[in-house]
Amino acid sequence: MKVSARNVFLGTISSIKKGAVNAEVSLTLKGGTPVTAIITNDSVDGLGLATGKEAYAIIKASSIIIGTDLHDAKVSARNIMCGTIAKIVEGPVSTEVAVEIGAGNTVSAVITHESAKTLGLQQGGHACAIFKASSVILGVS
Amino acid sequence: MKVSARNVFLGTISSIKKGAVNAEVSLTLKGGTPVTAIITNDSVDGLGLATGKEAYAIIKASSIIIGTDLHDAKVSARNIMCGTIAKIVEGPVSTEVAVEIGAGNTVSAVITHESAKTLGLQQGGHACAIFKASSVILGVS
Amino acid sequence: MKVSARNVFLGTISSIKKGAVNAEVSLTLKGGTPVTAIITNDSVDGLGLATGKEAYAIIKASSIIIGTDLHDAKVSARNIMCGTIAKIVEGPVSTEVAVEIGAGNTVSAVITHESAKTLGLQQGGHACAIFKASSVILGVS
């Protein structure tokens, strides 16, 4: 499978919590980074997901917010991955930012050009990638 | 009201499944393509949605992932529409891809320029548009 | 057309900046709150958007992150609306949070139950709704 989503991370399912319609599925990536996804119960069943199985977390770059100076800020987004800015590609409206989060993983985000400027993002700087559990698609081979 | 979302598909509601907060609503588009949406229960009630009624599925182009060679892979995203690439508009950061899925429907996706290149997308090629149920907004006239 | 998206705000277009594929469109809501949207150039043309015209900003509740104690935290998300929590509806997996942001506007967010608990959200408390420009759909009558 090849997908346009810039972020595809292999992990192991650590927990599944089902509601009436949606389920919360947590993975642990290599390197220990946790990722939480909200998908439908039907998808959990359809993919045969279970604790201990491997799965891919797929996140579109445009679903990711970049944050700096987060300190004690608290946000509802379940996924926050911090690291070093490896690359910035600027366009007139959109800018793509790649953040190396360790263990060989890089997170790509597409934000507005204006935000990249306001945040003063530059290669080598520290930044966090923030995304909601509902922005994560899970895949299995 | 006319909306900026590039993807607006008319369909008939085939099922509604309510949870505590969210509901899963499935539509069948003309041509038989199914679309699944996760919206709040309050919206189901507010719009007066019911099985058999017509509704529009509205999906922003930036919520859509493009995939190729899906064969052996399974993803949690509830909506996958495959077809032929009708148009590609390239920018420095973002690229817009239109996929004709039959029955007169075209799906527009905005992905990164980098992904379009990596996937080797070209007009006339085969591709699938993948989007989560939670990315779908429903509308009624 | 009525839409399932819980957040529909009327505003006046204050600026439009076009790129190769996407355009950045800024609105000013009644009460002065700014909202920024990234939509495709084709949509700007299709809807006939222009500075000074009225338009609706439409945001799905599941696209919104709730934050507290943001102080000097800086995020790339272009839209941050702070106010008082008016309502919380809890489910086993998802929780809906309504934040009154003044001028008669309320923002609804769907976050995970776990996050609502971790953030200690409660009615009457202060919270901010955070969403990306790419999560905003624009509508015109």
Side-chain angles (χ1 to χ4, degrees):
Chain A
M1 175 174 65
K2 292 191 289 183
V3 293
S4 64
R6 300 300 300 280
N7 303 293
V8 180
F9 304 120
L10 181 61
T12 304
I13 298 173
S14 57
S15 79
I16 298 178
K17 183 167 77 177
K18 282 193 174 185
V21 170
N22 285 317
E24 182 180 313
V25 180
S26 295
L27 304 185
T28 306
L29 307 188
K30 276 167 195 176
T33 307
V35 174
T36 298
I38 296 284
I39 64 175
T40 59
N41 287 340
D42 282 2
S43 289
V44 172
D45 299 340
L47 297 182
L49 301 183
T51 304
K53 283 203 172 177
E54 287 201 327
Y56 292 91
I58 303 167
I59 310 107
K60 228 184 126 98
S62 59
S63 301
I64 298 182
I65 289 172
I66 295 292
T68 59
D69 305 314
L70 295 179
H71 310 304
D72 60 346
K74 292 190 285 188
V75 295
S76 64
R78 297 294 295 279
N79 301 294
I80 302 189
M81 300 174 173
C82 297
T84 303
I85 298 174
K87 199 175 73 167
I88 297 179
V89 181
E90 294 190 55
V93 171
S94 303
T95 290
E96 189 181 332
V97 181
V99 180
E100 280 181 359
I101 56 165
N105 287 323
T106 297
V107 182
S108 284
V110 171
I111 63 175
T112 59
H113 177 84
E114 188 69 21
S115 287
K117 211 172 60 183
T118 307
L119 294 179
L121 301 182
Q122 43 191 325
Q123 209 175 317
H126 182 81
C128 297
I130 304 168
F131 53 97
K132 290 191 72 140
S134 58
S135 298
V136 181
I137 290 173
L138 297 181
V140 293
S141 301
Chain B
M1 184 159 67
K2 292 194 296 178
V3 295
S4 64
R6 301 300 302 280
N7 303 293
V8 180
F9 303 121
L10 181 61
T12 304
I13 298 173
S14 57
S15 78
I16 298 177
K17 183 166 73 178
K18 282 193 175 186
V21 171
N22 287 315
E24 183 181 313
V25 181
S26 295
L27 304 186
T28 306
L29 306 189
K30 277 166 196 177
T33 306
V35 174
T36 299
I38 295 285
I39 64 174
T40 59
N41 288 338
D42 282 0
S43 289
V44 172
D45 299 340
L47 296 181
L49 301 183
T51 303
K53 282 201 173 179
E54 288 202 328
Y56 292 93
I58 303 167
I59 310 106
K60 221 182 133 100
S62 58
S63 302
I64 298 181
I65 290 173
I66 294 293
T68 58
D69 303 317
L70 296 179
H71 315 306
D72 58 342
K74 290 191 290 184
V75 294
S76 64
R78 297 294 296 278
N79 301 293
I80 302 189
M81 300 174 175
C82 298
T84 303
I85 299 174
K87 197 176 74 167
I88 297 179
V89 181
E90 294 189 57
V93 172
S94 302
T95 289
E96 187 181 335
V97 181
V99 180
E100 279 182 358
I101 56 164
N105 286 322
T106 297
V107 182
S108 284
V110 171
I111 63 176
T112 59
H113 178 85
E114 188 70 20
S115 288
K117 213 171 58 182
T118 307
L119 293 178
L121 301 182
Q122 42 191 326
Q123 209 175 315
H126 182 81
C128 296
I130 304 167
F131 53 97
K132 288 191 72 139
S134 57
S135 299
V136 181
I137 290 173
L138 296 181
V140 293
S141 303
Chain C
M1 184 160 65
K2 291 193 297 177
V3 294
S4 64
R6 301 299 302 280
N7 304 294
V8 180
F9 303 121
L10 181 60
T12 303
I13 297 173
S14 57
S15 78
I16 297 178
K17 183 167 73 177
K18 282 193 173 185
V21 171
N22 287 317
E24 182 181 314
V25 181
S26 296
L27 304 185
T28 305
L29 306 189
K30 276 167 196 177
T33 306
V35 174
T36 299
I38 295 284
I39 64 174
T40 57
N41 287 339
D42 281 0
S43 289
V44 172
D45 299 339
L47 297 181
L49 301 182
T51 304
K53 283 202 172 178
E54 287 203 326
Y56 292 93
I58 303 166
I59 310 107
K60 221 182 133 101
S62 60
S63 301
I64 298 181
I65 290 173
I66 295 292
T68 59
D69 303 315
L70 295 179
H71 309 305
D72 61 345
K74 291 190 285 186
V75 294
S76 63
R78 298 293 296 277
N79 301 293
I80 302 189
M81 299 173 175
C82 299
T84 304
I85 298 175
K87 199 176 75 167
I88 297 179
V89 181
E90 293 189 56
V93 171
S94 302
T95 289
E96 188 180 335
V97 181
V99 180
E100 280 180 357
I101 55 163
N105 287 322
T106 297
V107 182
S108 284
V110 170
I111 62 175
T112 61
H113 178 84
E114 189 69 22
S115 286
K117 214 172 57 184
T118 306
L119 293 181
L121 301 182
Q122 42 191 326
Q123 210 175 315
H126 182 82
C128 297
I130 304 167
F131 53 97
K132 290 190 69 138
S134 58
S135 298
V136 181
I137 290 173
L138 296 182
V140 293
S141 302

